[in-house]
Amino acid sequence: MQVFLYFRVGACGMTEEFLYHIWQFKKWDFTVPLRTLCGKSVEVISPGMRNKQSGPDFSHAKLRIDGVLWAGNVEFHVLTSDWYLHQHDGDKNYENLILHIVYQHNTDAVPEGFPTLELADAVPERLLMEYKNLQKTYDFVACERYFSEVDEFLTDQCAVSWGIARLEKKVQEQQRKLEHLCGNWEALLFVSLAEAFGAPYNKIPFALLASSFDYAVLRKLVHKPGEVEALLFGQAGFLKETQDEVQREMRNKYLYTAHKHGLTPIDLHTFKFAGMRPPNFPTVRLAQLAALYAGSKDIFRYLVVENDWEPMWQLLKNVEVSAYWDNRFTLKKTSTAVMPKAFSDSFIRHIIINAVVPLKYFYYAIFYAHQENPALAILENLEAEKNQILTKFVKIGAKIENALQAQGYIALYNEHCTQKKCLECKIGNKVLNL
């Protein structure tokens, strides 16, 4: 494609990161009407969520374009021509955009399939300096300079209450899923585990995979390692092309199961590999999930019904992934390094915290309401996960001693700190009165 370019003076002073900030915090001049290049009005109901992995820059945005409500992905570029420079044209990850936002429209060629909005006239020149000052104010959370001065009893109390609130919010999600699954608790466990195995980057693709076939199909194949692995990889779309005899055998097994049960694979392009370490590749996680279901007896009883966390830990620790994966992370090629794909302790904690505990909390609330719910005790006895959010909280003075407190701080950051809801936070109110 031949692209003709023209530039407005000063456009090169803009960056995509600054555009993200303007969009996320609605920093444009509201006296300037937002209109697409073809003249359609744009009303921002919700800017959506920032996506820092591969794919569109924002997801779950809600916009009213020319009076019609849209929800979906938004992509940003400083210049319209960057769309072609970044080779998004023809990339399936960018096919479902609802809006393309640029600082300056500088080319006669316009991406097709969605409107483009030029934001330059709505961005005040003084805003760049304001943004820099904002960044200087704090690096992580607004109260970071005063956090260590807040009484430890208050921070601990808040962390526990936020942790419980986060757990109850997850239970609400579980309840909706259970209704969709017609009350099948074992199917709900499978969907929950699949999402946790895929998280964070491939949570949605794994959820789509788990929901793409009736759980009864998987249940019939339990204790048949090759059959379970073939079902998951085939249904995920990874077996359309094969590289060796093992993969051809997997493909044949999947085709038989698919024909028998009328299965259709999901779109392979939904799975993400970019930006993650090879042990976290979706192919590795699928192999591990298949091994869990192929080699474990009474998985629902051990993970959900039992009230002790040690049997569930041992169940996950003893999962043996097929030796075929010892020297590979994908189906396309082998690796020079031999690395059995056993579950690491950190991954087991992740599975228990994010998949098992919410379901167990829900299950006991329904069937054993008269008993003490063991889910909270499990979180209190588990070491906290390690991620960037928790590391930064510790750096500013937070004492995170277990998984329950860690879940609380994650909830605090996601639901208060990022949205600048300091007045709704007990710690924020305390800081204001120091």
Side-chain angles (χ1 to χ4, degrees):
M1 175 183 293
Q2 188 175 14
V3 179
F4 296 94
L5 306 179
Y6 57 91
F7 295 91
R8 177 182 299 170
V9 176
C12 295
M14 178 57 71
T15 66
E16 285 190 10
E17 288 296 329
F18 186 38
L19 279 176
Y20 302 153
H21 170 78
I22 294 170
W23 179 255
Q24 185 172 357
F25 296 103
K26 299 183 178 180
K27 292 283 188 176
W28 61 86
D29 185 350
F30 277 78
T31 64
V32 179
L34 298 182
R35 292 190 176 277
T36 66
L37 295 180
C38 57
K40 294 182 179 180
S41 63
V42 177
E43 178 187 353
V44 182
I45 299 172
S46 171
M49 299 174 59
R50 175 77 174 94
N51 172 34
K52 296 185 179 180
Q53 304 306 318
S54 59
D57 296 317
F58 277 78
S59 62
H60 302 95
K62 293 182 180 180
L63 311 173
R64 185 171 282 109
I65 302 176
D66 217 24
V68 179
L69 184 64
W70 293 81
N73 302 327
V74 178
E75 176 69 6
F76 287 81
H77 291 106
V78 175
L79 303 170
T80 310
S81 58
D82 290 340
W83 172 268
Y84 305 100
L85 183 64
H86 298 172
Q87 299 181 347
H88 294 329
D89 200 31
D91 188 332
K92 289 190 175 183
N93 289 315
Y94 296 88
E95 286 183 351
N96 296 320
L97 294 182
I98 61 172
L99 185 64
H100 179 218
I101 298 178
V102 300
Y103 179 68
Q104 179 183 334
H105 177 56
N106 71 319
T107 171
D108 293 332
V110 180
E112 298 179 352
F114 43 81
T116 296
L117 168 67
E118 183 181 33
L119 206 57
D121 290 338
V123 178
E125 289 292 333
R126 59 174 178 77
L127 200 55
L128 181 59
M129 184 60 67
E130 181 181 319
Y131 174 69
K132 291 181 178 179
N133 291 335
L134 178 64
Q135 293 300 98
K136 291 179 181 177
T137 303
Y138 59 88
D139 297 319
F140 174 47
V141 292
C143 64
E144 61 189 23
R145 289 177 293 178
Y146 314 100
F147 191 95
S148 60
E149 300 178 31
V150 178
D151 183 75
E152 186 178 327
F153 176 79
L154 175 62
T155 57
D156 288 347
Q157 184 184 54
C158 290
V160 170
S161 64
W162 287 321
I164 295 174
R166 178 175 169 84
L167 183 57
E168 291 177 343
K169 188 174 182 179
K170 289 183 178 181
V171 167
Q172 292 176 359
E173 296 176 5
Q174 297 279 22
Q175 188 170 6
R176 289 192 291 269
K177 292 174 183 175
L178 184 63
E179 292 174 358
H180 179 72
L181 294 168
C182 301
N184 190 327
W185 286 87
E186 290 188 15
L188 178 59
L189 173 62
F190 175 63
V191 171
S192 300
L193 287 171
E195 290 182 350
F197 272 71
Y201 308 135
N202 286 293
K203 180 178 179 178
I204 293 178
F206 270 64
L208 291 173
L209 170 63
S211 303
S212 68
F213 58 89
D214 194 308
Y215 177 72
V217 177
L218 175 63
R219 204 173 193 281
K220 293 176 181 178
L221 302 178
V222 168
H223 310 315
K224 299 178 181 178
E227 302 286 348
V228 175
E229 195 170 50
L231 170 64
L232 296 187
F233 277 93
Q235 195 64 11
F238 283 105
L239 297 179
K240 293 180 180 179
E241 297 180 3
T242 58
Q243 307 293 324
D244 55 35
E245 189 59 37
V246 172
Q247 294 178 29
R248 284 187 283 275
E249 183 178 353
M250 288 174 61
R251 185 173 186 272
N252 290 335
K253 289 179 179 178
Y254 169 71
L255 291 176
Y256 173 79
T257 301
H259 177 75
K260 182 178 180 181
H261 298 283
L263 304 182
T264 301
I266 66 173
D267 188 354
L268 178 62
H269 293 91
T270 60
F271 292 94
K272 297 181 179 180
F273 288 82
M276 64 185 71
R277 296 172 58 248
N280 296 328
F281 280 176
T283 41
V284 174
R285 294 308 189 202
L286 276 179
Q288 292 173 326
L289 181 60
L292 172 61
Y293 269 87
S296 304
K297 295 181 179 180
D298 298 326
I299 184 172
F300 186 82
R301 178 171 67 85
Y302 277 106
L303 294 184
V304 180
V305 181
E306 294 285 351
N307 59 12
D308 190 0
W309 67 273
E310 292 184 355
M312 71 174 69
W313 184 280
Q314 288 304 317
L315 174 70
L316 297 171
K317 193 69 175 177
N318 293 334
V319 171
E320 295 184 3
V321 181
S322 168
Y324 177 74
W325 290 94
D326 286 355
N327 67 334
R328 64 174 62 238
F329 295 96
T330 70
L331 289 171
K332 292 185 177 180
K333 62 180 180 179
T334 58
S335 170
T336 55
V338 176
M339 180 187 297
K341 303 308 182 289
F343 291 16
S344 66
D345 287 352
S346 61
F347 185 59
I348 293 176
R349 279 194 295 273
H350 164 74
I351 294 300
I352 293 176
I353 292 169
N354 295 286
V356 176
V357 166
L359 185 53
K360 184 184 289 288
Y361 188 83
F362 181 26
Y363 184 82
Y364 268 78
I366 297 295
F367 296 104
Y368 300 97
H370 61 286
Q371 296 184 17
E372 183 178 354
N373 199 313
L376 294 179
I378 291 173
L379 288 179
E380 289 175 333
N381 283 285
L382 275 181
E383 181 182 336
E385 289 185 274
K386 292 180 173 59
N387 59 42
Q388 292 184 354
I389 294 174
L390 298 176
T391 298
K392 290 179 179 180
F393 267 119
V394 171
K395 188 176 181 180
I396 65 174
K399 293 185 178 180
I400 306 176
E401 298 177 344
N402 55 54
L404 181 58
Q405 291 179 332
Q407 289 294 292
Y409 278 109
I410 292 173
L412 168 65
Y413 181 76
N414 290 335
E415 298 177 21
H416 289 80
C417 301
T418 58
Q419 301 179 43
K420 299 183 179 179
K421 294 182 178 179
C422 301
L423 294 177
E424 299 179 17
C425 169
K426 290 183 178 179
I427 294 176
N429 276 273
K430 184 66 177 180
V431 167
L432 292 175
N433 293 292
L434 286 175

